[in-house]
Amino acid sequence: MAERCTALLFHPHQENQLFVASASCNVYSINVEDGTVVMMEGHSQPVVGVEAGSRSPVVLTYNHREVLLWSWPSMTLSNRLRHQNPLPVIWAGHVWQRDELLVAYSSGSVLLWAGRRSTTEVHIEPPEGLAIEFKAFAVSRGGEWLVGGGKSHLLVTYCLVGRCIAQVVQLPSSCSDVFQPFFLPVVHPRYPQVLAILTSSGVLNIIDFSTATKLKTLRAQRYLIDSISVSECGSFIAVTYDNSTTKVYPVRALFPATTEKEVEPEAWMKEEVAFQIVEKREKEKQEEEEKRKKRQAITEEIQELLDKSKWCKILLEFGSYPDRYRRLVWVSVLELPRNYSVFSTLLDKGIHPAYRDLSQALQLSDAGMFKALQRTLSCLAHWAPFLAKVDYLPELVFPFVKVFKSNPLLSFEVAATVILNWCRVWFVFWPEAGVTVLNVVEQLVCEVDPTLLAHLMRLRVTARSYVWPLLTSAFSKVLSSDDWQALWDHLLSSPPSLLPCVAAAFTLTSRRSLLSCDDAEDVDLYYSQESWVSVKKVLDRAYDLHKRKRKEHAFSKIFGEFVPLPHDGLPLFTIGPRPAPLTQEEEDEGRPHLRRSPNTLTPTIINPRHLSPRHPSSPRSPIRPHHYHKHQQRQEEQEEMVYMIAKEELERQEDECLNSIWKLRQRHLTSAPHNLT
């Protein structure tokens, strides 16, 4: 074809007849046996849908503005449905049982013509106050019901016989929206009306239409379901996944298990007809089992080769893990539980409201990558609702999702593990966590290169300006994809305390570039784009800093040790600022927590970069030109003195806290029984 295909359909009555709609607004009726082509002209916009029934004498083609009727089998234009509704057409169909034409719009309104030549139309309006952007409709096999849904967990049922709205059904929690609904053929005696609903998140839900209860949920562990199609005979269902794979299953496999007495004799006859197909599938299953065993043997060999004791040698010798085995190594290093049952529960909740409009804020050309990121962020927010308020979470999670795009379970578990371990003490910028990390990085820079730190202070650059962008983007802003993967090879294989050392090492390695900056805007620009700094030099300096600081007990205490996800569930998310408990004196007097008595000594830590004279927008006192340099020198000395006092006060508080904990621990060990470990 010379143009893009916009719609495709085999006629259910004549299997060799194929309808193909192109972007040039034409529809072609093709006989796939002899190659004859009939062009169907008449549309002014590209066709988005073709509808044809096995017992219907017409074929409908439609786009968002037009609905055309074609006589079958001559394929001549018989009628053009004209309507005044400015809303786009979502679906059009023919109910052959009563010879009625239906047109459904995005607002949920439905127009019905009794007879193909009739000019009288019946208008069915959706319930008032129901704001649903309808995306799909489906008519029952008997022609009595029409269902419609869209970006909502609600399903609207239309009674075509009574020409009215029958009911509005709230779907189960796993049905966050309606992407493709269709009625299944009657193959089970207990369930005469069964509706299948495919969501935009790639989950297929089988629902008993009469009771609105869910019978089964189908999803693949690694791939999303893109579309569903049922054979005209009603025996088989084709499931297409987002990796361009289509699998065919018996329709009866979608229903709950039944005994032989509950199955009608006709159903057994259909199984006999499909014997050859089943036999072929059994052969394919044997071949897949052999391939699976070979892959398992190769995986065991790789795991033995990449034993934990050898990983460090591989990193030291090659600087990174092999690209081919990187995901396998990361899964082993992080000790991921691969708990699919927990992940499946989070998936059933659908897209989180905070990320439904993610496409407007994040422009990704790869639709599969966008779905993977949106799904991972939604699962994280369902697990820990606080994460939905973190505005930089997509930027932090995206590079990890990019590595594990083909496996949503691993994408979620890697993101959760990184947040709980490497982001635990700085994830939210609050004094008990974020400022501490910034002070640690600033102290590391000051110890190695005080001249560089003094230059940044003269430019009114705070630690938050050159540390926070590195942390919130997981260094993906300043490193290329290959360098980023090599860096996280080292970070994931080391204690979490290496992360601030890497942040300090990147700033120290960028010394020449930072010294050439003339103002704070230049520094912000440097930390917001890909840098030319060698990641090998950054890691070498980071390991030197970490080796030196690892000896300090307070440094290890702040960042802790690595703790993997539990195998039987997800841990409680406790990251974030919490109000401290009230003292007994405050509870008795009924005073607010932040109010202190005059006798209570509360040390105040002052950051000189937050003082008004340092802020570029603060008003300055008039200074005479010949006193400017002396005033500036005195101001810098004063700020440096305040900074050193604040730093010493912070260290004193940390030492007092650690000494108290150490004494309490010693007293506990002394009083504990000797037979306890």
Side-chain angles (χ1 to χ4, degrees), residues 422-423 426 441 471 475 488 491 495-504 546:
W422 282 267
C423 309
W426 61 265
V441 176
L471 298 178
F475 298 90
W488 278 93
L491 285 173
S497 53
L498 181 64
L499 183 65
C501 297
V502 172
H546 188 257

Side-chain angles (χ1 to χ4, degrees), residues 351-391:
I351 301 300
H352 194 275
Y355 302 110
R356 287 176 182 169
D357 299 329
L358 185 63
S359 59
Q360 300 177 3
L362 188 66
Q363 301 295 333
L364 283 179
S365 57
D366 190 342
M369 185 71 70
F370 174 77
K371 287 183 180 179
L373 177 62
Q374 190 180 38
R375 181 174 55 241
T376 302
L377 293 173
S378 299
C379 290
L380 290 172
H382 288 312
W383 161 51
F386 177 78
L387 295 179
K389 304 177 183 178
V390 180
D391 54 353

